Amino acid sequence: MEEVKDEISLAEKLAEEGKATDICHMAKEHPKWQVRAACVTLLGENFPDHPDAKETIAYCTHDPVDQVAFTAIRTAGDKRVDTAIRDLICITGWPSNFTRDHTSKPVGFGAAYTKRALISIFGSEDPDTLRRLEDEHFVELRKNVSKGKRERNNDDVVLVPGGPFIAGASRQQIERVHQQVGSFEMNDQDNHPRVVELPSFYIDRTTVTNRRYAEFLADVENTEDHDHPDQPIGHDHTPAHWHDKRFNHPDQPVVGVDWYDAWAFAKWAGGRLPTEDEWEKAARGIDARAFPWGNEWNAEYANNVSRAFGVTPTHRTELEELLLKATSEYPASPVLAADALPEGASPYGALNMVGNVWEMTLTNFYTREDMDPFLKGRKPIEFMNRKEAFFSLRGGTWTSPAVCLTTYYRGKDLITDRHNEIGFRCVYPA
């Protein structure tokens, strides 16, 4: 404990010398929690209006040691540190809500201290007054968020109206498809039938083309503004097959990109990747059809392994043997233009929702929730068996048998993989 006392004495001396920045560093980084807590107190007592001190007090409300966090929360309330409002609301929710009669799940000291601090900072316990003060406090933040949002930069979209649709497939529907095209021993039974309600949204009429992606590359060359925060360090958005003549025609879907590339492009384009449910509704409409055009397979309406290779395998072994024959030159023209085969359009007019290239989604394959990767700094071999690293693919591709081209079939891929079979399209608010 002598070491702790010496460090606190040092902090007190720094306070006397007016060295707020040094105390801020100790409050955030010192290995002894007692020292961090003492530094927070010193900042509140000696530098309540110093910008760095206010930011540090807010930061320390999330310290992993309760006594440090509680000290910061109490200090924020006592000194009315408005910089901490956002952090405190993350702990207890909006004061305009918790001052009304309602049920909640308080967790002890933290909730009590935080509620008191927020009421102290805002200077009121009246719910309506608090709501007005909350709006006033966050008005600049809302403006900045709005400025950061990009307008949709693509007019070639189709509207998917809001409302319910039937997702998934029944055992009977799956068997009917197998009777038409074979099962190929594919696991297509993990998307159970259910009714899903979705708001209206726009979706790209075609997958993102090489032409659009080239515009993105040129525009983001010297910026990281659109990158996912978990994107690997030093990541390059250039597609892996950018110089392969079989895949780089301007009108073809961009391939050889990973999930982080697609995420960044979608943000740049003013949208995002579709969830699995959004993709599925855009592909099949509301009547649970097996294919975008109906319930009967039609090889003329989609680009799959049969069209790409000129051979139609009849079972899994034949398919795998055919794929093993692929080279850097064969098949010569595996991927069609993104706007090819208009006869196979979905009920809303989206093209090639099945076949040509798999399409990435925002959805985790295993949890069915939005992807939320936390893998930065790790190599793929370190997370290739972790469920959080796999997103859902939809639609099948040029190497797929027809059974994978249904509107309900689910595929998956590792978040950092780049394949010549996978592309994407974006969705936008309606």
Side-chain angles (χ1 to χ4, degrees), residues 123-140:
S124 175
E125 294 187 44
D126 175 67
D128 294 328
T129 301
L130 284 167
R131 180 57 188 271
R132 175 178 58 79
L133 294 172
E134 290 164 0
D135 289 341
E136 291 174 359
H137 177 76
F138 286 104
V139 65
E140 288 302 319

Side-chain angles (χ1 to χ4, degrees), residues 250-421:
D251 294 331
Q252 287 179 314
V254 64
V255 295
V257 292
D258 67 14
W259 189 88
Y260 291 109
D261 297 322
W263 194 95
F265 177 96
K267 184 178 180 182
W268 170 84
R272 58 172 171 78
L273 291 174
T275 64
E276 271 199 274
D277 287 338
E278 288 170 336
W279 185 96
E280 188 167 330
K281 184 174 183 180
R284 73 192 315 189
I286 61 175
D287 59 5
R289 59 183 62 186
F291 304 102
W293 54 85
N295 287 307
E296 301 297 321
W297 168 248
N298 190 324
E300 298 299 314
Y301 290 175
N303 179 32
N304 75 328
V305 66
S306 299
R307 180 189 291 266
F309 284 82
V311 179
T312 301
T314 58
H315 53 76
R316 182 74 166 262
T317 301
E318 281 188 5
L319 171 66
E320 292 175 351
E321 289 176 350
L322 177 61
L323 296 181
L324 289 174
K325 296 178 182 178
T327 68
S328 60
E329 297 180 350
Y330 171 74
S333 303
V335 177
L336 303 181
D339 62 354
L341 308 179
E343 301 85 356
S346 81
Y348 305 111
L351 302 184
N352 290 295
M353 290 295 290
V354 298
N356 215 26
V357 293
W358 284 108
E359 297 185 23
M360 303 186 211
T361 72
L362 190 65
T363 304
N364 180 281
F365 178 80
Y366 293 99
T367 67
R368 296 181 186 247
E369 297 177 352
D370 288 355
M371 289 287 289
D372 186 21
F374 191 64
L375 309 168
K376 196 168 188 174
R378 303 182 191 180
K379 297 179 180 179
I381 195 171
E382 298 178 66
F383 53 76
M384 62 185 300
N385 292 317
R386 299 183 68 89
K387 291 182 178 179
E388 64 265 32
F390 287 87
F391 61 90
S392 291
L393 287 170
R394 288 305 199 101
T397 187
W398 59 273
T399 59
S400 301
V403 69
C404 296
L405 271 66
T406 60
T407 54
Y408 53 81
Y409 188 88
R410 306 177 70 234
K412 71 178 189 293
D413 197 32
L414 188 67
I415 194 169
T416 52
D417 280 359
R418 291 173 157 182
H419 298 289
N420 59 22
E421 303 157 289

Side-chain angles (χ1 to χ4, degrees), residues 101-234:
D101 293 331
H102 76 299
T103 59
S104 63
K105 294 182 182 291
V107 293
F109 292 119
Y113 292 146
T114 305
K115 289 180 179 179
R116 178 182 174 184
L118 282 166
I119 289 171
S120 174
I121 294 171
F122 280 116
S124 175
E125 294 187 44
D126 175 67
D128 294 328
T129 301
L130 284 167
R131 180 57 188 271
R132 175 178 58 79
L133 294 172
E134 290 164 0
D135 289 341
E136 291 174 359
H137 177 76
F138 286 104
V139 65
E140 288 302 319
L141 177 62
R142 290 193 179 97
K143 287 181 180 178
N144 291 334
V145 170
S146 296
K147 289 178 182 177
K149 291 182 178 179
R150 291 173 61 92
E151 295 295 322
R152 170 166 54 89
N153 66 8
N154 180 35
D155 292 329
D156 191 11
V157 296
V158 296
L159 175 67
V160 179
F165 83 103
I166 301 173
S170 66
R171 179 69 257 178
Q172 293 79 9
Q173 184 176 34
I174 294 171
E175 289 177 351
R176 286 196 296 270
V177 169
H178 288 179
Q179 290 171 3
Q180 295 182 57
V181 300
S183 74
F184 283 77
E185 301 174 35
M186 297 293 180
N187 180 7
D188 52 3
Q189 302 172 36
D190 61 344
N191 194 2
H192 304 295
R194 63 204 181 281
V195 175
V196 176
E197 183 90 23
L198 291 175
S200 300
F201 61 93
Y202 289 103
I203 190 168
D204 287 331
R205 188 175 67 95
T206 73
T207 47
V208 173
T209 61
N210 288 316
R211 179 179 284 104
R212 284 188 72 197
Y213 199 84
E215 294 173 4
F216 161 71
L217 287 180
D219 203 32
V220 303
E221 184 176 3
N222 297 310
T223 180
E224 298 177 354
D225 291 349
H226 311 293
D227 293 349
H228 191 283
D230 189 60
Q231 179 176 290
I233 298 170

